[in-house]
Amino acid sequence: MEIDFKSGYVYIEDGVKDYYQPKSGYVYFDNNRININKLIEVESKNFLYKNINMTFLYINDGSYWFMYSDWELYNKLLKLIIETQEDVENILCKFENDYGKEHALWETLVAFAINKFQVQRGFVIGSDSNYHFHNCRIRGELKRVNDINEAYNILVSVLPQNIKATKKSEVQVILKPITDICGKNLDNVEAYASKLESANSNILDKWTLSMSNLNSLNSELQEFIDEKIFDSVYVNKINSFFKYCFDYIHIRIKELIKELIEKELFNQFGSINNLKKFLRDDINQLGFMELLDLFKEYKKQEKYLSSIASIAKKKYYKLNINDIINDIYKEYIDIYRLGSVLISDKINQISRNKTKNKYIPQNLLDEAIMFYYEAESVQDAYLSCSDEEYAQKKESGYKGEKKVEYALKWLDQSFECIKRESKDRLGNACIYLSNPEFIDEKQEYDHLLVSNKGIFNIETKNYAGKLVIDQNGNWIRKKSDVVEEGIRNPLQQIRQHEKMLLSFIPSKCKIISIICIANDTAIIEGIENSCIPIVKSDMLVEFIENYDLSDIEMTSHQKEQCIQAIYEHMIKF
């Protein structure tokens, strides 16, 4: 027999629910209700009459109750009582002044026998007695149960003097699956955690079910604890066990939900690092309208991510893991929230109508750049930004410079290319010239070519698309018929390069500056509006070799002086 005080069911050996005990405090046996709070006495009584031997269950809950289980034997007994009235009269006479349990059972049996067989007449027990057969009162209820022994065991277990021990035993039954693993005193709680790991693996639904089951079990046990079934030491053992398990399961659920959400976000949006790199790579390459479209897309994605974060919080609200959900989604939300800040700032930088620039608080801009460049300080973030922007420009420029360098290899031996003996901020070979006596700045050159015609200062640009130079010297890059943007005129940069060279080369040496467009697919309009020759890389050698020098050519000595002066003023690392 097993009593489940939570559900109220009592299970017999074959597993069938035969009895039911609700929390109201009643025990039901085949629709017979007994108030266990009023239960006073329970006794199994052996009843022997002639050749019939039956067992009855006597119950006292303020009134008499009698129960039996053998229906055939019971009917035989009632019939025998009617058939042997004289003998029954003699037995009843013995109990005429005795109102004990046996008397009460006899009177109840006689009353039920009269009722069953419709006996009409009564007769006197003894000549002076007023005790008539038909006057027998039903001193208690007489009900049938499936199993008299089970009923007895259950009712005895819930007697006031036994209920505490019964409930303690029930708790031991409830805890048995746990104590079998952790020990009787729940000392080896780590073993139970290992069991959970083995059973649940990395399946979130199983862990949440384990949490739910333990919550139910804990609530059930707390009812027993509130009734002071156990001493404080064992109560502490139980509470410590559940705290450890709840903490352990909660951590595992957090880990699995974090892994699940991160996987979903990764599959949908990609990695955080790639998203950061994407914007850092593209933000300096896009025009005004492209940046504006990207800004709108980032704001849309920010709103979308915020909404699905709210949905996730509602989905897992019972698990109390909003902090984890916030942390996971925050990084992705910030990709778009702070990315839109950087895009807006870039739009401000290239927007022609400055009065319409969107105001961006400096602290928000600082937050965005620190996030995207993963820096610990604002200064480090801006330095990383500057380095990356420089690297991006250099990467595009390197392709063009390599193309020009290859073209220059086809010049005859009278032209000498200055070697790259400097290092730029990325560690790449370059040409840095400096003359502190002239100005406290260094200048970086793409290509320097020395010949008897003079020094060719070649500024390489790897522009793509259509380049237009208007009559005012504005350089405009057109990406479509309606999309265009202004780009920096390299004239100022070239003039600075010329002045640096002129500050240390022999006075009679001539400098010939050239703008070389390395991208063969570029279309250039308005070349005539540039005061510096613009030559595509595939025509560069032709232009240099056929350059018509109106002045007197440099001597070989002057040429060597120029080369020596350049190397003397080159910054070497």
Side-chain angles (χ1 to χ4, degrees):
M1 179 191 70
E2 178 183 336
I3 305 174
D4 184 343
F5 280 92
K6 180 185 177 185
S7 66
Y9 288 107
V10 180
Y11 297 90
I12 57 178
E13 289 183 2
D14 59 4
V16 178
K17 290 183 294 185
D18 200 31
Y19 306 97
Y20 178 73
Q21 183 210 329
K23 293 184 181 297
S24 60
Y26 290 94
V27 176
Y28 290 84
F29 299 98
D30 305 299
N31 297 321
N32 303 308
R33 189 178 76 167
I34 299 174
N35 188 335
I36 62 174
N37 295 316
K38 293 182 178 181
L39 197 60
I40 300 170
E41 187 180 3
V42 177
E43 185 178 335
S44 179
K45 296 194 67 65
N46 187 53
F47 184 89
L48 178 63
Y49 181 60
K50 298 191 179 295
N51 64 333
I52 295 178
N53 189 357
M54 281 188 70
T55 299
F56 288 91
L57 185 62
Y58 163 75
I59 303 164
N60 182 0
D61 61 354
S63 61
Y64 292 127
W65 284 74
F66 296 100
M67 290 185 177
Y68 65 93
S69 59
D70 192 326
W71 176 252
E72 291 184 4
L73 199 59
Y74 168 72
N75 283 315
K76 288 181 180 179
L77 176 61
L78 294 187
K79 185 177 180 182
L80 184 62
I81 288 173
I82 295 300
E83 292 175 348
T84 57
Q85 293 182 15
E86 185 176 347
D87 292 338
V88 171
E89 287 177 5
N90 293 330
I91 294 172
L92 288 175
C93 285
K94 295 179 182 179
F95 297 117
E96 187 170 3
N97 297 312
D98 178 4
Y99 296 95
K101 302 170 191 174
E102 191 172 352
H103 184 193
L105 177 57
W106 266 109
E107 282 199 347
T108 302
L109 286 170
V110 170
F112 271 84
I114 292 172
N115 182 64
K116 179 176 178 62
F117 294 101
Q118 300 295 310
V119 176
Q120 299 297 324
R121 67 179 185 86
F123 54 90
V124 178
I125 302 174
S127 58
D128 298 327
S129 174
N130 292 322
Y131 201 131
H132 292 270
F133 199 112
H134 65 272
N135 289 334
C136 288
R137 296 168 297 160
I138 298 178
R139 297 287 299 275
E141 291 291 331
L142 186 58
K143 299 289 184 178
R144 182 189 174 197
V145 293
N146 286 333
D147 191 318
I148 197 76
N149 292 323
E150 291 290 347
Y152 173 78
N153 291 335
I154 291 169
L155 289 172
V156 167
S157 71
V158 296
L159 283 170
Q161 64 269 31
N162 298 331
I163 189 67
K164 185 172 182 179
T166 300
K167 290 185 176 182
K168 183 180 288 189
S169 175
E170 175 61 18
V171 172
Q172 297 303 328
V173 172
I174 293 171
L175 284 175
K176 189 175 187 304
I178 296 173
T179 54
D180 284 350
I181 299 169
C182 301
K184 184 178 179 180
N185 293 320
L186 304 174
D187 292 324
N188 192 7
V189 67
E190 292 83 2
Y192 191 75
S194 297
K195 182 73 173 180
L196 288 175
E197 283 288 351
S198 176
N200 297 342
S201 185
N202 289 323
I203 302 173
L204 178 59
D205 288 345
K206 288 188 175 182
W207 282 104
T208 53
L209 180 61
S210 292
M211 175 69 85
S212 177
N213 290 340
L214 277 176
N215 266 319
S216 298
L217 181 58
N218 185 45
S219 298
E220 180 181 353
L221 289 174
Q222 290 307 313
E223 294 180 13
F224 291 109
I225 290 172
D226 293 342
E227 295 177 17
K228 303 187 184 306
I229 301 299
F230 300 102
D231 58 35
S232 60
V233 175
Y234 197 68
V235 169
N236 289 337
K237 290 279 188 182
I238 293 174
N239 291 335
S240 295
F241 168 81
F242 280 102
K243 183 180 185 308
Y244 179 91
C245 289
F246 286 143
D247 289 345
Y248 188 91
I249 295 174
H250 202 248
I251 289 172
R252 290 293 282 119
I253 288 175
K254 280 184 177 183
E255 290 173 347
L256 291 171
I257 291 178
K258 182 175 184 290
E259 182 180 327
L260 176 65
I261 295 176
E262 285 178 339
K263 185 176 181 180
E264 290 174 350
L265 289 172
F266 180 86
N267 290 338
Q268 187 171 358
F269 297 95
S271 72
I272 292 292
N273 288 337
N274 285 346
L275 289 170
K276 287 180 179 179
K277 189 175 186 303
F278 168 80
L279 184 62
R280 294 201 311 262
D281 288 347
D282 281 14
I283 197 168
N284 295 314
Q285 312 299 324
L286 301 178
F288 179 85
M289 295 304 298
E290 292 169 316
L291 286 169
L292 190 59
D293 289 340
L294 190 61
F295 174 82
K296 292 176 182 177
E297 178 63 23
Y298 269 51
K299 296 306 290 184
K300 179 182 176 181
Q301 293 287 39
E302 178 191 347
K303 184 177 180 180
Y304 169 71
L305 277 163
S306 297
S307 68
I308 62 174
S310 297
I311 292 171
K313 289 178 187 177
K314 290 178 182 177
K315 181 179 179 181
Y316 299 115
Y317 81 97
K318 289 184 177 180
L319 301 176
N320 192 28
I321 56 170
N322 278 357
D323 54 336
I324 295 294
I325 294 174
N326 284 335
D327 288 345
I328 299 170
Y329 278 98
K330 183 180 184 303
E331 204 166 11
Y332 276 90
I333 290 172
D334 281 349
I335 281 289
Y336 297 100
R337 179 179 71 90
L338 299 175
S340 63
V341 172
L342 294 181
I343 296 168
S344 183
D345 180 59
K346 192 65 179 180
I347 290 173
N348 284 348
Q349 293 176 31
I350 65 175
S351 175
R352 293 179 179 178
N353 189 350
K354 298 298 183 183
T355 59
K356 292 185 179 179
N357 281 357
K358 182 180 179 181
Y359 171 70
I360 304 173
Q362 187 60 46
N363 63 332
L364 183 58
L365 187 57
D366 291 345
E367 181 188 359
I369 202 163
M370 285 180 66
F371 174 76
Y372 261 84
Y373 287 91
E374 300 176 357
E376 295 183 359
S377 69
V378 176
Q379 293 77 11
D380 289 344
Y382 279 99
L383 181 60
S384 296
C385 177
S386 175
D387 286 344
E388 190 162 273
E389 188 173 351
Y390 175 82
Q392 289 170 0
K393 291 178 179 178
K394 275 299 199 178
E395 183 179 359
S396 176
Y398 285 147
K399 294 177 182 178
E401 290 173 16
K402 288 293 183 184
K403 199 165 189 178
V404 171
E405 188 176 319
Y406 176 77
L408 294 177
K409 288 172 64 175
W410 295 92
L411 289 167
D412 65 51
Q413 298 299 317
S414 63
F415 295 89
E416 181 167 342
C417 290
I418 298 299
K419 296 177 181 179
R420 300 166 180 264
E421 296 185 354
S422 303
K423 297 286 186 184
D424 64 14
R425 59 203 283 186
L426 301 176
N428 299 311
C430 66
I431 300 172
Y432 269 132
L433 300 184
S434 173
N435 185 9
E437 295 178 0
F438 168 65
I439 190 170
D440 189 20
E441 281 189 20
K442 61 185 178 181
Q443 292 290 308
E444 183 179 1
Y445 295 78
D446 292 339
H447 302 278
L448 287 174
L449 189 66
V450 184
S451 72
N452 295 107
K453 293 181 180 183
I455 302 172
F456 287 90
N457 171 34
I458 304 170
E459 181 65 28
T460 301
K461 298 299 180 185
N462 197 28
Y463 296 138
K466 187 175 183 180
L467 179 65
V468 177
I469 305 169
D470 67 17
Q471 293 180 350
N472 297 317
N474 295 313
W475 285 49
I476 303 166
R477 182 165 56 183
K478 290 194 172 184
K479 297 191 173 182
S480 69
D481 292 338
V482 294
V483 178
E484 61 180 39
E485 65 178 349
I487 58 176
R488 184 181 177 188
N489 188 330
L491 178 61
Q492 181 185 10
Q493 181 184 13
I494 291 170
R495 293 302 185 216
Q496 290 173 351
H497 288 178
E498 291 174 347
K499 289 180 179 180
M500 176 65 76
L501 285 167
L502 290 170
S503 72
F504 58 76
I505 62 173
S507 58
K508 293 183 180 182
C509 295
K510 184 176 178 61
I511 299 173
I512 306 150
S513 292
I514 304 171
I515 299 173
C516 181
I517 306 300
N519 194 325
D520 295 335
T521 64
I523 300 172
I524 308 167
E525 290 183 3
I527 289 177
E528 67 277 5
N529 296 321
S530 175
C531 58
I532 298 174
I534 299 176
V535 182
K536 295 184 75 171
S537 59
D538 55 358
M539 294 298 295
L540 182 61
V541 172
E542 185 74 15
F543 179 86
I544 293 172
E545 288 183 339
N546 294 311
Y547 184 77
D548 186 14
L549 182 64
S550 57
D551 297 333
I552 301 173
E553 290 189 358
M554 290 193 303
T555 64
S556 296
H557 178 67
Q558 288 174 318
K559 176 183 172 182
E560 290 300 322
Q561 283 183 314
C562 288
I563 294 172
Q564 183 178 352
I566 290 172
Y567 280 116
E568 286 177 353
H569 289 82
M570 187 180 294
I571 300 174
K572 299 176 183 179
F573 296 95

